[in-house]
Every structure is written in structure tokens, then in C-alpha cells.
Amino acid sequence: MLRLASYNIRKAIGTDRRRRPERIIEVLNELDADLVALQEADRRFGPRNAAIPTHLLEEHSDFKPVPFGARDRSLGWHGNAILVRKDFKIGEHAMLHLPSLEPRGAVLAEVEAKGHQIRIVGMHLDLSGLWRRRQAHAILKHVAERHADMPTAMMGDLNEWTARSGCLRDFGAHHVFADTGRSYHSGNPIARLDRIMVTPNMRIRAAGVHRSANARTASDHLPIWAEVEF
């Protein structure tokens, strides 16, 4: 059994407008996930510094970031990052270029976790429905060009307000969505912008939204999670 999670951390700025990366780490520790996809994990301008300094992750959590190496001070790429347990082995990993009007990308990592090989894709899709669908197609194409039979989980902020159409239909042709629930806005969740989906060679055993007191103030999104087995 693996516990997956996705979390838009809003550059560690909470609903109280305070930047507190240590609060994000507290939420991550509460989640107790094995693999986490983060969105808005880096600052938007300048050298794109990590919103969570890596030394804080090292000292106060059981996670390590997948080293994409896009920028020296960044945690990920275009704000997307993947965290894994420190004892997991990271295999092939890549930054996926996506079609967009503004800078957008996705990240991919193949990980050996608890004796299983799993591929994780983290993403933060466009506000425009047209560009979201183009980005979904690009991600699916990237994954199709890799080892087809490797169990794959795709996670992130899809920015899709509809229930079944748009990019959800594109991803749903190849994946099963976890019934995580509404995660945005953290103060009064009304939308399922954040999603976890897996290939049919995995089974979702449980799923939900993490609604702790810390999570309600740490970001404008609540983290979502899913427990899967092979």
C-alpha cells in the first residue's frame, strides 16, 4: 500500500498572508504520505527560490525532493516538485515541456517504493480550458513514450472546474480518478481543482481531503490524498 498526496502550497503563503514554510512541513508530516506532488513550490520571480528551503525538509521531515536541477535554488520546475520518502530510490526523472501562453510544465519521476516501481507525474495546468486540454494531451504523449506497463499516478492542480468534461475527459480515458473531494478554497472548499488519478494496474483503496487546522491556514488549497495498492 502506498499513500499518495498532492498539495498546492501557494509558495508557502497562508490564508493569513504570512509566508511560513515550516507550517507547510507540519502539514506534510500530518499527511504521512509516501509520495507527494507539490504545486507552486518555488517563488515566481527572480532566481525562483524554493518556497520550502531544502534544509528544512532535511531537518524536519522524512522527505527528499526529486532533483530536477532546473535552477540551483529551486525545489522543482515551473513550481512543480515531487517529494519522496528518504529511503525510496529515485530512478529516471524528467521535466516535461507543455504548450502554454505563460510558463507551464510538469515533472515526472520513476521511483522504487516499498518494493514496487511507480511513476509519478506532477502538474499544474493552465487557467484556460483550451490550453489545459493541450497540456493534458502533451503529458499523456510523454508518458505513452515511456515504459507502458509501469503503474503511473498523475497528481496536481488541474484548474478544472467542471465535473467530467475538459481535460478530465482526456485523462479519464486512460486513468481512474480518486474520489478525494473538494479542496479549494481551504476556508470554504467548493471546487475539486486538485486531482489524483492512477492507471488501471493500481487500485484506489481510500481517498480524501486533509482538513486539519494547519491545512486550513497554510495555503488556499487543502492537500488531497489517496491510498493505492498494486
Side-chain angles (χ1 to χ4, degrees):
M1 184 89 69
L2 283 176
R3 187 174 174 93
L4 312 176
S6 180
Y7 192 14
N8 184 329
I9 66 171
R10 198 195 184 194
K11 307 173 192 65
I13 300 174
T15 55
D16 56 2
R17 300 184 181 181
R18 297 175 63 191
R19 187 187 301 276
R20 290 186 55 195
E22 67 278 6
R23 184 167 51 185
I24 296 295
I25 292 178
E26 290 173 4
V27 175
L28 292 172
N29 289 335
E30 292 171 359
L31 276 167
D32 196 30
D34 297 301
L35 300 142
V36 184
L38 296 180
Q39 302 86 51
E40 299 194 28
D42 299 319
R43 300 195 189 190
R44 189 177 178 89
F45 302 107
R48 307 288 177 89
N49 290 351
I52 306 174
T54 52
H55 74 88
L56 289 182
L57 277 175
E58 173 67 27
E59 297 166 6
H60 300 289
S61 82
D62 193 34
F63 292 110
K64 61 182 179 182
V66 174
F68 294 106
R71 292 173 180 260
D72 291 342
R73 299 180 182 179
S74 298
L75 195 62
W77 188 59
H78 287 311
N80 295 288
I82 296 175
L83 307 180
V84 305
R85 292 285 183 184
K86 289 177 181 176
D87 60 338
F88 289 0
K89 182 178 179 180
I90 300 169
E92 292 186 25
H93 49 284
M95 299 174 289
L96 308 185
H97 295 270
L98 301 183
S100 61
L101 289 176
E102 60 176 341
R104 292 278 177 175
V107 289
L108 177 151
E110 296 174 359
V111 182
E112 183 178 327
K114 298 182 178 179
H116 296 279
Q117 293 287 334
I118 183 172
R119 178 186 296 119
I120 299 295
V121 178
M123 67 188 81
H124 189 182
L125 300 189
D126 206 281
L127 296 173
S128 160
L130 174 63
W131 286 103
R132 280 198 299 274
R133 297 202 65 185
R134 291 176 178 174
Q135 290 161 3
H137 292 162
I139 291 168
L140 291 168
K141 183 176 183 293
H142 279 297
V143 173
E145 293 171 349
R146 306 183 78 86
H147 312 295
D149 59 345
M150 182 177 291
T152 299
M154 297 191 179
M155 307 187 285
D157 180 355
L158 272 56
N159 267 320
E160 184 63 71
W161 288 78
T162 61
R164 293 183 180 87
S165 60
C167 69
L168 300 183
R169 183 182 303 162
D170 302 317
F171 286 120
H174 307 275
H175 299 79
V176 178
F177 283 92
D179 188 14
T180 52
R182 299 172 181 176
S183 56
Y184 181 83
H185 182 281
S186 57
N188 180 28
I190 60 171
R192 297 188 181 202
L193 301 185
D194 306 286
R195 299 278 183 161
I196 296 174
M197 49 194 143
V198 301
T199 46
N201 50 9
M202 284 192 287
R203 178 164 51 177
I204 299 166
R205 301 293 295 179
V209 177
H210 184 69
R211 294 185 172 91
S212 71
N214 275 332
R216 286 194 292 270
T217 58
S219 169
D220 58 349
H221 287 247
L222 294 169
I224 59 173
W225 59 271
E227 292 178 352
V228 301
E229 63 183 14
F230 297 83

